[in-house]
Amino acid sequence: MNEKDFIPSEYTNLIEAGKVACKAPSNIALVKYWGKKKGQIPANPSISFTLNTCATTTTITFKKCENIQDDFSFDLLFEGKPKEDFKPKIKTFFERIEVYLPFLKAYHFTIETSNSFPHSSGIASSASGMSALAYCFMELERSMNAKMTSDFFNKKASFLARLGSGSACRSIEGYLMQWGQQHDIEGSSNLYAIKYPYAIHQIFENYNDTILLVDKGQKQVSSTVGHDLMHNHPYAVSRFAQAQENLTKLKAVFKAGNLSEFIKIVESEALTLHAMMMTSLPYFVLMKPKTLDIINKIWAFRAQSKTHVCFTLDAGANVHVLYPESEKDQVFQFIKDELVVFCENGQYICDRIGFGSKKM
């Protein structure tokens, strides 16, 4: 599919008023997306686990305006309170998606949103937030088009979410989502994410992700700035090739349930992401000393226990501790005994793989 496939014909049935609500999860990339082209197109493909507990719930109340407005009309409430500093990002999102949802200026929207996790906790709130918003708007559009298929709904919701935040496109479905063209993955696209289309061993079912909140402060460099620094990065070409290669390797890993190789790829991807940050110009470091303490503790415990616990990182200091359900008791005890001490105020989040966004 291409962009034009998502432009609807003229609506014949604009609903007067109503309400729609959605819950959308965050996700954690295994092969990292870092660097993008114009139009929120990824410089390299990525793959992620959809999460379950870390989610955004969004409710949109809409009422048809008497006349089509010159600008978008909306109010925004975050956790029950007006949030004016969020509105410019939402307006930019509307500007990007208007051609695909031409009814936007026909309504006044009241957008109420809340997260199940602390704001600025290092969880990808843009991913869950933008996917929830896109999903709500698709529910509204589906009410105007009864013939819309579920497959088209999910692809367009992912397509729209991407225009708000790249990684948000991976939160519409689950539990293993791939985004970006990759020569070994049939149906892969730069425009939207797809459910991983090949065999996945049962060991990856119910996979756990305990998120250690090392630093809940505002990041010194935003992800948007970090992505832009890949344009002239001295190692960009090699990095993009590495991501392609790792996705190819994962095909056999997922099929066989080879956790040793899974760990090598996932941890290498996490460290490579931060290596790209530390070797860009200007360079920056988002990991904290306690991040490294946790990594070293995980390596030592894995060697001693022979478990398959591993870590991954997003663009921040917090650590995602990944482990199979079959090893949950032993690994979680280790987390409580040895890793929680490195968390800010002892805070962590217990999560696991989930299955995407849903209407409430």
Side-chain angles (χ1 to χ4, degrees):
M1 298 183 72
N2 59 48
E3 291 96 332
K4 291 182 180 179
D5 294 322
F6 296 117
I7 299 175
S9 55
E10 186 175 354
Y11 299 115
T12 57
N13 178 34
L14 287 179
I15 299 170
E16 288 296 322
K19 180 184 290 188
V20 63
C22 164
K23 183 179 180 181
S26 188
N27 64 76
I28 180 62
L30 307 172
V31 171
K32 305 297 183 179
Y33 143 63
W34 197 244
K36 60 185 175 183
K37 304 173 186 177
K38 185 178 179 182
Q40 296 285 89
I41 298 299
N44 67 268
S46 60
I47 194 165
S48 62
F49 278 148
T50 308
L51 297 179
N52 181 56
T53 301
C54 294
T56 297
T57 299
T58 295
T59 300
I60 296 180
T61 305
F62 55 93
K63 184 176 181 180
K64 192 175 177 184
C65 302
E66 291 186 11
N67 300 296
I68 300 295
Q69 305 297 299
D70 294 331
D71 203 354
F72 305 105
S73 177
F74 67 97
D75 296 313
L76 179 66
L77 290 90
F78 177 67
E79 299 185 345
K81 299 178 181 178
K83 195 71 174 176
E84 292 298 316
D85 54 330
F86 279 12
K87 293 185 75 171
K89 186 172 185 177
I90 302 300
K91 184 177 180 181
T92 297
F93 178 52
F94 281 5
E95 291 168 349
R96 291 175 179 174
I97 67 173
E98 182 186 10
V99 66
Y100 308 107
L101 297 177
F103 61 77
L104 287 177
K105 287 182 179 175
Y107 291 96
H108 174 78
F109 299 102
T110 300
I111 303 167
E112 301 173 77
T113 187
S114 62
N115 294 332
S116 66
F117 49 90
H119 184 57
S120 296
S121 65
I123 312 302
S125 59
S126 60
S128 57
M130 287 301 178
S131 56
L133 196 56
Y135 200 96
C136 283
F137 281 129
M138 283 306 300
E139 286 289 355
L140 176 52
E141 185 175 65
R142 178 154 60 181
S143 68
M144 303 175 192
N145 178 9
K147 296 181 179 179
M148 184 183 295
T149 67
S150 294
D151 180 66
F152 180 84
F153 178 100
N154 287 331
K155 284 180 178 176
K156 185 168 179 179
S158 179
F159 172 84
L160 295 175
R162 187 197 95 246
L163 294 174
S165 171
S167 60
C169 74
R170 300 190 307 245
S171 285
I172 297 299
E173 297 183 89
Y175 63 98
L176 191 60
M177 298 298 294
Q178 195 274 325
W179 170 42
Q181 287 184 344
Q182 209 274 343
H183 53 82
D184 280 337
I185 300 180
E186 184 178 353
S188 60
S189 172
N190 287 332
L191 300 180
Y192 49 81
I194 62 169
K195 294 180 74 170
Y196 191 69
Y198 303 116
I200 307 170
H201 192 278
Q202 64 183 16
I203 194 68
F204 294 107
E205 296 177 2
N206 299 320
Y207 226 77
N208 289 271
D209 179 7
T210 298
I211 306 157
L212 306 179
L213 304 182
V214 174
D215 183 4
K216 297 193 297 177
Q218 191 73 29
K219 290 187 296 187
Q220 66 195 65
V221 176
S222 71
S223 293
T224 299
V225 171
H227 282 295
D228 288 343
L229 291 174
M230 288 298 286
H231 289 304
N232 299 306
H233 198 292
Y235 306 125
V237 173
S238 297
R239 163 58 199 151
F240 300 149
Q242 179 195 38
Q244 292 275 356
E245 182 181 351
N246 281 338
L247 272 168
T248 296
K249 290 178 179 178
L250 280 172
K251 192 172 181 179
V253 169
F254 286 137
K255 183 177 182 179
N258 188 335
L259 292 183
S260 295
E261 289 301 311
F262 175 78
I263 288 168
K264 289 178 185 177
I265 293 169
V266 168
E267 291 190 342
S268 172
E269 279 284 323
L271 294 174
T272 298
L273 170 67
H274 284 261
M276 292 299 102
M277 300 173 192
M278 289 187 276
T279 51
S280 64
L281 286 174
Y283 42 80
F284 58 102
V285 180
L286 295 185
M287 285 194 285
K288 301 293 184 182
K290 289 180 179 179
T291 307
L292 297 176
D293 288 334
I294 290 169
I295 290 172
N296 281 307
K297 286 279 188 180
I298 289 172
W299 285 340
F301 175 77
R302 187 167 68 223
Q304 172 266 318
S305 66
K306 308 302 180 186
T307 59
H308 298 90
V309 60
C310 70
F311 71 87
T312 189
L313 308 167
D314 260 342
N318 300 330
V319 181
H320 290 250
V321 185
L322 303 176
Y323 48 100
E325 179 71 13
S326 59
E327 298 174 356
K328 179 180 178 180
D329 291 345
Q330 187 177 3
V331 173
F332 189 57
Q333 191 63 50
F334 156 68
I335 291 170
K336 291 189 292 183
D337 290 346
E338 298 193 40
L339 301 187
V340 172
V341 67
F342 298 110
C343 298
E344 186 174 333
N345 299 321
Q347 287 191 290
Y348 60 95
I349 299 171
C350 293
D351 212 333
R352 59 173 60 240
I353 61 169
F355 298 92
S357 305
K358 60 183 180 181
K359 184 179 180 181
M360 301 296 287

